[in-house]
Amino acid sequence: MARFTLPRDVYYGKGTLEVLKTLKGKKAIVVVGGGSMKRFGFLDRAVDYLKEAGMEVQLFENVEPDPSVETVMRGAKAMQEFQPDWIVAMGGGSPIDAAKAMWAFYEYPETTFEDLITPFNFPELRQKAKFAAIPSTSGTATEVTAFSVITDYEKGIKYPLADFNITPDVAIVDPVIAETMPEKLTAHTGMDALTHAIEAYVSTLNSPFTDPLAIKAIQMVFEYLPASYQKDMSAREQMHYAQCLAGMAFSNALLGIVHSMAHKTGAAFSTGHIPHGCANAIYLPYVIQYNAKDETAKKRYADIAREAGLTGANDDELVKALCDKIDAYNVKLSIPKTLKEFGINEDEFKEKVAAIAELAVGDACTGSNPRAITPAEMEKLLNCTYYGTEVDF
Ligand code: FE
Protein backbone atom coordinates (compact mmCIF):
# COMPACT_ATOMS: atom_id res chain seq x y z
CA MET A 1 0.00 0.00 0.00
CA ALA A 2 1.45 3.34 -1.02
CA ARG A 3 0.87 6.42 1.06
CA PHE A 4 1.14 10.12 0.26
CA THR A 5 1.28 12.44 3.27
CA LEU A 6 1.62 16.20 3.59
CA PRO A 7 1.01 18.68 6.41
CA ARG A 8 -2.67 19.37 7.01
CA ASP A 9 -2.08 23.06 6.25
CA VAL A 10 0.61 24.93 4.36
CA TYR A 11 0.37 28.69 4.84
CA TYR A 12 2.46 30.67 2.37
CA GLY A 13 3.01 34.30 1.44
CA LYS A 14 4.65 37.36 2.93
CA GLY A 15 3.75 37.89 6.55
CA THR A 16 2.15 34.46 6.96
CA LEU A 17 3.93 34.08 10.28
CA GLU A 18 0.90 35.91 11.61
CA VAL A 19 -1.15 32.74 11.29
CA LEU A 20 0.31 31.69 14.65
CA LYS A 21 -2.34 33.97 16.14
CA THR A 22 -5.02 31.53 15.05
CA LEU A 23 -3.60 28.33 16.56
CA LYS A 24 -5.85 26.84 19.20
CA GLY A 25 -4.20 25.66 22.39
CA LYS A 26 -3.07 26.47 25.91
CA LYS A 27 0.71 26.17 25.80
CA ALA A 28 3.28 26.45 23.04
CA ILE A 29 7.00 25.72 23.15
CA VAL A 30 9.07 27.49 20.52
CA VAL A 31 12.22 25.65 19.41
CA VAL A 32 14.88 27.77 17.71
CA GLY A 33 18.55 27.71 16.73
CA GLY A 34 21.51 29.88 17.39
CA GLY A 35 20.08 33.36 17.37
CA SER A 36 19.40 34.64 13.85
CA MET A 37 15.63 34.35 14.35
CA LYS A 38 16.02 36.39 17.51
CA ARG A 39 18.37 38.94 15.91
CA PHE A 40 16.02 39.59 13.00
CA GLY A 41 13.02 39.92 15.32
CA PHE A 42 11.10 36.90 14.04
CA LEU A 43 11.29 35.07 17.34
CA ASP A 44 9.72 37.97 19.26
CA ARG A 45 7.05 38.27 16.62
CA ALA A 46 6.24 34.57 16.80
CA VAL A 47 6.02 34.68 20.59
CA ASP A 48 3.74 37.72 20.46
CA TYR A 49 1.42 36.04 17.97
CA LEU A 50 1.21 32.89 20.11
CA LYS A 51 0.39 35.01 23.15
CA GLU A 52 -2.28 36.75 21.10
CA ALA A 53 -3.68 33.28 20.49
CA GLY A 54 -4.05 33.05 24.26
CA MET A 55 -1.19 30.65 24.80
CA GLU A 56 1.44 30.47 27.48
CA VAL A 57 4.80 30.39 25.67
CA GLN A 58 8.14 28.86 26.60
CA LEU A 59 11.34 29.03 24.53
CA PHE A 60 13.83 26.28 23.81
CA GLU A 61 16.79 28.09 22.28
CA ASN A 62 20.26 27.36 20.91
CA VAL A 63 19.67 24.15 18.98
CA GLU A 64 23.05 23.62 17.29
CA PRO A 65 23.64 22.82 13.60
CA ASP A 66 23.50 19.01 13.17
CA PRO A 67 21.55 18.67 16.42
CA SER A 68 22.73 16.14 18.98
CA VAL A 69 21.00 13.39 20.92
CA GLU A 70 21.66 15.41 24.09
CA THR A 71 19.86 18.47 22.74
CA VAL A 72 16.90 16.32 21.73
CA MET A 73 16.74 14.78 25.21
CA ARG A 74 16.99 18.18 26.90
CA GLY A 75 14.21 19.50 24.70
CA ALA A 76 12.02 16.48 25.38
CA LYS A 77 12.53 16.95 29.11
CA ALA A 78 11.61 20.63 28.88
CA MET A 79 8.46 19.60 27.05
CA GLN A 80 7.60 16.93 29.63
CA GLU A 81 7.82 19.58 32.34
CA PHE A 82 5.95 22.29 30.44
CA GLN A 83 3.36 20.01 28.74
CA PRO A 84 2.80 22.10 25.57
CA ASP A 85 -0.01 21.30 23.18
CA TRP A 86 1.85 23.04 20.34
CA ILE A 87 5.47 22.60 19.33
CA VAL A 88 6.51 25.49 17.11
CA ALA A 89 9.91 24.96 15.46
CA MET A 90 11.53 27.82 13.66
CA GLY A 91 14.77 28.31 11.73
CA GLY A 92 17.03 26.36 9.38
CA GLY A 93 16.71 22.60 9.14
CA SER A 94 18.35 21.91 12.48
CA PRO A 95 15.88 23.29 15.05
CA ILE A 96 12.97 21.82 13.11
CA ASP A 97 14.66 18.41 12.84
CA ALA A 98 15.55 18.50 16.54
CA ALA A 99 12.02 19.48 17.53
CA LYS A 100 10.57 16.57 15.53
CA ALA A 101 12.68 14.12 17.56
CA MET A 102 11.89 15.97 20.83
CA TRP A 103 8.22 15.53 20.00
CA ALA A 104 8.57 11.73 19.87
CA PHE A 105 10.46 11.60 23.19
CA TYR A 106 8.01 14.05 24.77
CA GLU A 107 5.06 11.85 23.94
CA TYR A 108 6.93 8.55 24.49
CA PRO A 109 9.65 9.11 27.14
CA GLU A 110 10.41 5.38 27.23
CA THR A 111 11.27 5.13 23.54
CA THR A 112 14.90 5.00 22.30
CA PHE A 113 16.74 6.13 19.16
CA GLU A 114 17.27 2.46 18.39
CA ASP A 115 13.46 2.05 18.29
CA LEU A 116 12.98 5.13 16.16
CA ILE A 117 15.58 4.47 13.47
CA THR A 118 13.58 1.63 11.94
CA PRO A 119 11.92 3.55 9.10
CA PHE A 120 8.19 4.20 9.46
CA ASN A 121 8.01 2.58 12.87
CA PHE A 122 7.16 5.55 15.11
CA PRO A 123 4.50 5.31 17.80
CA GLU A 124 1.35 7.32 17.13
CA LEU A 125 2.14 10.99 17.80
CA ARG A 126 -0.30 13.88 18.44
CA GLN A 127 -1.40 12.40 21.75
CA LYS A 128 -0.10 15.51 23.52
CA ALA A 129 0.88 18.11 20.94
CA LYS A 130 0.64 19.26 17.38
CA PHE A 131 3.57 20.59 15.41
CA ALA A 132 4.08 23.79 13.41
CA ALA A 133 7.27 24.35 11.39
CA ILE A 134 8.58 27.66 10.09
CA PRO A 135 11.62 27.43 7.78
CA SER A 136 14.14 30.27 7.52
CA THR A 137 16.15 28.73 4.67
CA SER A 138 14.95 27.64 1.24
CA GLY A 139 16.24 24.10 0.89
CA THR A 140 15.74 21.29 3.36
CA ALA A 141 11.93 21.56 3.31
CA THR A 142 11.85 19.83 6.68
CA GLU A 143 8.65 21.86 7.32
CA VAL A 144 6.79 19.42 5.06
CA THR A 145 8.83 16.21 5.26
CA ALA A 146 8.67 13.01 7.27
CA PHE A 147 12.40 13.20 8.06
CA SER A 148 14.80 14.35 10.73
CA VAL A 149 18.52 13.75 11.19
CA ILE A 150 19.99 13.60 14.69
CA THR A 151 23.69 13.09 15.45
CA ASP A 152 25.10 10.91 18.20
CA TYR A 153 28.49 12.56 18.62
CA GLU A 154 29.63 10.02 21.21
CA LYS A 155 29.09 7.08 18.87
CA GLY A 156 29.94 9.15 15.78
CA ILE A 157 26.74 8.22 13.95
CA LYS A 158 23.79 10.03 12.44
CA TYR A 159 20.29 8.73 13.05
CA PRO A 160 18.12 9.38 10.00
CA LEU A 161 14.56 9.33 11.33
CA ALA A 162 11.77 8.74 8.84
CA ASP A 163 8.07 8.48 9.61
CA PHE A 164 4.90 10.23 8.47
CA ASN A 165 4.11 10.80 12.15
CA ILE A 166 6.74 13.56 12.16
CA THR A 167 5.38 15.30 9.08
CA PRO A 168 4.34 18.62 10.66
CA ASP A 169 0.67 19.54 11.04
CA VAL A 170 1.22 23.11 9.93
CA ALA A 171 3.95 24.54 7.70
CA ILE A 172 4.35 28.31 7.61
CA VAL A 173 6.25 29.20 4.44
CA ASP A 174 6.79 32.92 4.90
CA PRO A 175 9.29 34.28 2.34
CA VAL A 176 10.07 37.32 4.49
CA ILE A 177 11.92 35.00 6.86
CA ALA A 178 14.06 33.64 4.00
CA GLU A 179 15.09 37.15 2.95
CA THR A 180 17.78 37.08 5.61
CA MET A 181 19.72 34.21 3.99
CA PRO A 182 23.29 35.08 3.00
CA GLU A 183 24.37 34.56 -0.64
CA LYS A 184 26.26 31.30 -0.24
CA LEU A 185 23.47 29.72 1.78
CA THR A 186 20.99 30.79 -0.91
CA ALA A 187 23.10 29.04 -3.57
CA HIS A 188 23.66 25.84 -1.60
CA THR A 189 20.13 25.42 -0.28
CA GLY A 190 18.73 26.19 -3.74
CA MET A 191 20.79 23.42 -5.32
CA ASP A 192 19.76 21.10 -2.47
CA ALA A 193 16.13 21.78 -3.44
CA LEU A 194 16.89 21.06 -7.11
CA THR A 195 18.55 17.80 -6.09
CA HIS A 196 15.53 16.83 -3.96
CA ALA A 197 13.18 17.34 -6.89
CA ILE A 198 15.36 15.55 -9.46
CA GLU A 199 16.09 12.60 -7.17
CA ALA A 200 12.40 12.30 -6.26
CA TYR A 201 11.39 12.32 -9.93
CA VAL A 202 13.75 9.48 -10.88
CA SER A 203 13.37 7.57 -7.58
CA THR A 204 12.08 4.01 -7.73
CA LEU A 205 9.21 5.29 -5.55
CA ASN A 206 8.16 8.07 -7.92
CA SER A 207 4.40 8.31 -8.39
CA PRO A 208 1.69 10.31 -10.13
CA PHE A 209 1.26 12.12 -6.79
CA THR A 210 4.88 13.24 -6.51
CA ASP A 211 5.80 13.80 -10.18
CA PRO A 212 3.94 17.10 -10.71
CA LEU A 213 5.41 18.53 -7.50
CA ALA A 214 8.93 17.53 -8.54
CA ILE A 215 8.62 18.91 -12.08
CA LYS A 216 7.16 22.22 -10.94
CA ALA A 217 9.90 22.56 -8.33
CA ILE A 218 12.61 21.91 -10.96
CA GLN A 219 11.12 24.49 -13.33
CA MET A 220 10.91 27.07 -10.55
CA VAL A 221 14.47 26.49 -9.31
CA PHE A 222 15.82 26.90 -12.84
CA GLU A 223 13.75 30.04 -13.29
CA TYR A 224 14.37 31.77 -9.97
CA LEU A 225 17.57 30.55 -8.30
CA PRO A 226 20.07 32.81 -10.11
CA ALA A 227 18.03 35.95 -9.35
CA SER A 228 17.39 34.82 -5.79
CA TYR A 229 21.15 34.41 -5.41
CA GLN A 230 21.51 38.01 -6.68
CA LYS A 231 19.18 39.09 -3.83
CA ASP A 232 16.08 39.65 -5.97
CA MET A 233 13.50 39.19 -3.21
CA SER A 234 10.58 38.31 -5.45
CA ALA A 235 12.69 35.50 -6.94
CA ARG A 236 13.63 34.46 -3.43
CA GLU A 237 9.95 34.24 -2.54
CA GLN A 238 9.41 31.84 -5.46
CA MET A 239 12.45 29.79 -4.37
CA HIS A 240 10.94 29.47 -0.89
CA TYR A 241 7.86 27.90 -2.47
CA ALA A 242 9.86 25.81 -4.96
CA GLN A 243 11.90 24.15 -2.21
CA CYS A 244 8.67 23.39 -0.35
CA LEU A 245 7.19 21.67 -3.42
CA ALA A 246 10.42 19.69 -3.81
CA GLY A 247 10.07 18.68 -0.15
CA MET A 248 6.52 17.43 -0.70
CA ALA A 249 7.81 15.31 -3.58
CA PHE A 250 10.81 13.76 -1.83
CA SER A 251 9.06 13.25 1.50
CA ASN A 252 6.88 10.77 -0.37
CA ALA A 253 9.14 9.51 -3.19
CA LEU A 254 12.42 9.54 -1.23
CA LEU A 255 15.84 10.36 -2.68
CA GLY A 256 18.86 8.70 -4.30
CA ILE A 257 22.64 8.39 -4.25
CA VAL A 258 23.45 12.08 -4.64
CA HIS A 259 22.23 12.34 -1.07
CA SER A 260 23.96 9.10 -0.03
CA MET A 261 27.26 10.58 -1.23
CA ALA A 262 26.63 14.00 0.33
CA HIS A 263 25.73 12.40 3.68
CA LYS A 264 28.87 10.30 3.84
CA THR A 265 31.37 12.88 2.52
CA GLY A 266 30.02 15.95 4.35
CA ALA A 267 32.14 15.50 7.47
CA ALA A 268 34.71 13.01 6.16
CA PHE A 269 37.70 15.23 5.41
CA SER A 270 40.08 17.13 7.66
CA THR A 271 40.00 20.18 5.34
CA GLY A 272 36.53 21.03 6.63
CA HIS A 273 32.86 20.36 6.24
CA ILE A 274 31.34 20.23 2.73
CA PRO A 275 27.98 22.04 3.05
CA HIS A 276 25.13 19.65 2.22
CA GLY A 277 23.72 21.58 -0.73
CA CYS A 278 27.17 22.25 -2.16
CA ALA A 279 28.03 18.54 -2.06
CA ASN A 280 24.73 17.71 -3.79
CA ALA A 281 25.37 20.32 -6.47
CA ILE A 282 28.82 18.87 -7.19
CA TYR A 283 27.62 15.24 -7.34
CA LEU A 284 24.33 15.71 -9.20
CA PRO A 285 25.65 15.81 -12.83
CA TYR A 286 27.90 12.78 -12.23
CA VAL A 287 25.08 10.77 -10.69
CA ILE A 288 22.79 11.64 -13.60
CA GLN A 289 25.44 10.26 -15.97
CA TYR A 290 25.68 7.09 -13.87
CA ASN A 291 21.93 6.58 -13.44
CA ALA A 292 21.11 7.37 -17.08
CA LYS A 293 22.84 4.12 -18.10
CA ASP A 294 19.58 2.59 -16.84
CA GLU A 295 16.98 2.96 -19.61
CA THR A 296 14.04 3.78 -17.35
CA ALA A 297 16.03 6.41 -15.48
CA LYS A 298 17.29 7.87 -18.76
CA LYS A 299 13.69 8.41 -19.92
CA ARG A 300 12.85 10.15 -16.64
CA TYR A 301 15.85 12.49 -16.92
CA ALA A 302 14.87 13.22 -20.53
CA ASP A 303 11.36 14.13 -19.25
CA ILE A 304 12.93 16.56 -16.80
CA ALA A 305 15.05 18.11 -19.56
CA ARG A 306 12.00 18.60 -21.80
CA GLU A 307 9.97 20.08 -18.94
CA ALA A 308 12.87 22.45 -18.28
CA GLY A 309 12.61 23.66 -21.86
CA LEU A 310 15.73 21.90 -23.14
CA THR A 311 15.95 20.28 -26.56
CA GLY A 312 17.75 17.30 -28.04
CA ALA A 313 17.37 14.84 -30.92
CA ASN A 314 17.07 11.89 -28.54
CA ASP A 315 17.07 10.98 -24.85
CA ASP A 316 20.88 10.86 -24.67
CA GLU A 317 21.12 14.41 -25.94
CA LEU A 318 18.43 15.56 -23.53
CA VAL A 319 20.24 14.00 -20.57
CA LYS A 320 23.46 15.67 -21.71
CA ALA A 321 21.64 19.01 -21.99
CA LEU A 322 20.32 18.60 -18.43
CA CYS A 323 23.82 17.91 -17.07
CA ASP A 324 25.19 20.91 -18.99
CA LYS A 325 22.46 23.11 -17.54
CA ILE A 326 23.27 22.00 -13.98
CA ASP A 327 26.98 22.62 -14.65
CA ALA A 328 26.17 26.12 -15.90
CA TYR A 329 24.11 26.85 -12.77
CA ASN A 330 26.95 25.68 -10.56
CA VAL A 331 29.26 28.11 -12.37
CA LYS A 332 26.74 30.95 -11.90
CA LEU A 333 26.47 30.11 -8.20
CA SER A 334 30.24 29.79 -7.64
CA ILE A 335 29.98 26.10 -6.80
CA PRO A 336 33.06 24.05 -7.77
CA LYS A 337 32.85 21.25 -10.35
CA THR A 338 34.96 18.73 -8.44
CA LEU A 339 35.94 17.77 -4.90
CA LYS A 340 39.51 18.63 -5.86
CA GLU A 341 38.44 22.16 -6.78
CA PHE A 342 36.50 22.32 -3.50
CA GLY A 343 39.82 21.86 -1.74
CA ILE A 344 39.81 18.24 -0.58
CA ASN A 345 43.37 16.99 -0.22
CA GLU A 346 44.23 14.33 -2.83
CA ASP A 347 46.15 11.97 -0.53
CA GLU A 348 43.42 12.10 2.08
CA PHE A 349 40.78 11.48 -0.58
CA LYS A 350 42.64 8.42 -1.92
CA GLU A 351 43.13 7.09 1.57
CA LYS A 352 39.46 7.40 2.53
CA VAL A 353 37.51 6.89 -0.69
CA ALA A 354 37.02 3.10 -0.40
CA ALA A 355 35.59 3.35 3.12
CA ILE A 356 33.36 6.30 2.16
CA ALA A 357 32.09 4.37 -0.88
CA GLU A 358 31.10 1.46 1.35
CA LEU A 359 29.25 3.78 3.76
CA ALA A 360 27.52 5.65 0.92
CA VAL A 361 26.16 2.41 -0.54
CA GLY A 362 24.74 1.61 2.91
CA ASP A 363 23.08 5.03 3.28
CA ALA A 364 19.30 5.15 3.72
CA CYS A 365 18.93 7.05 0.42
CA THR A 366 20.56 4.36 -1.75
CA GLY A 367 17.55 2.03 -1.70
CA SER A 368 15.34 4.26 -3.86
CA ASN A 369 18.05 5.19 -6.38
CA PRO A 370 16.96 4.14 -9.89
CA ARG A 371 20.17 2.20 -10.65
CA ALA A 372 21.81 -0.23 -8.24
CA ILE A 373 25.40 0.44 -7.21
CA THR A 374 28.18 -1.68 -5.68
CA PRO A 375 30.85 -0.29 -3.36
CA ALA A 376 33.43 -0.67 -6.19
CA GLU A 377 31.23 1.32 -8.59
CA MET A 378 30.60 3.93 -5.91
CA GLU A 379 34.35 4.29 -5.45
CA LYS A 380 34.75 4.85 -9.20
CA LEU A 381 31.92 7.38 -9.16
CA LEU A 382 33.48 9.28 -6.25
CA ASN A 383 36.77 9.31 -8.16
CA CYS A 384 34.97 10.94 -11.10
CA THR A 385 33.63 13.64 -8.79
CA TYR A 386 37.13 14.24 -7.44
CA TYR A 387 38.94 14.54 -10.78
CA GLY A 388 36.05 15.71 -12.98
CA THR A 389 36.32 12.68 -15.27
CA GLU A 390 33.50 11.26 -17.34
CA VAL A 391 31.29 8.51 -15.89
CA ASP A 392 31.68 5.72 -18.46
CA PHE A 393 30.53 2.67 -16.51
FE1 FE B 1 19.02 17.50 0.92
Side-chain angles (χ1 to χ4, degrees), residues 139-140 191-193 195-196 199 250 255 259 262-263 276-277 280:
T140 70
M191 290 306 285
D192 186 26
T195 307
H196 292 155
E199 293 215 282
F250 90 84
L255 294 166
H259 270 77
H263 290 157
H276 175 70
N280 282 332

Side-chain angles (χ1 to χ4, degrees), residues 127-201:
Q127 311 298 314
K128 294 182 173 175
K130 289 206 266 188
F131 194 102
I134 309 164
S136 65
T137 61
S138 301
T140 70
T142 183
E143 74 276 10
V144 291
T145 73
F147 311 123
S148 158
V149 183
I150 304 300
T151 305
D152 187 329
Y153 288 94
E154 212 169 281
K155 294 185 187 154
I157 45 174
K158 287 197 176 214
Y159 295 115
L161 309 178
D163 195 288
F164 289 123
N165 267 289
I166 54 171
T167 301
D169 297 282
V170 175
I172 301 176
V173 187
D174 185 339
V176 175
I177 302 173
E179 285 181 2
T180 58
M181 278 193 300
E183 233 171 50
K184 219 178 200 172
L185 190 63
T186 306
H188 293 166
T189 52
M191 290 306 285
D192 186 26
L194 180 69
T195 307
H196 292 155
I198 292 179
E199 293 215 282
Y201 191 81

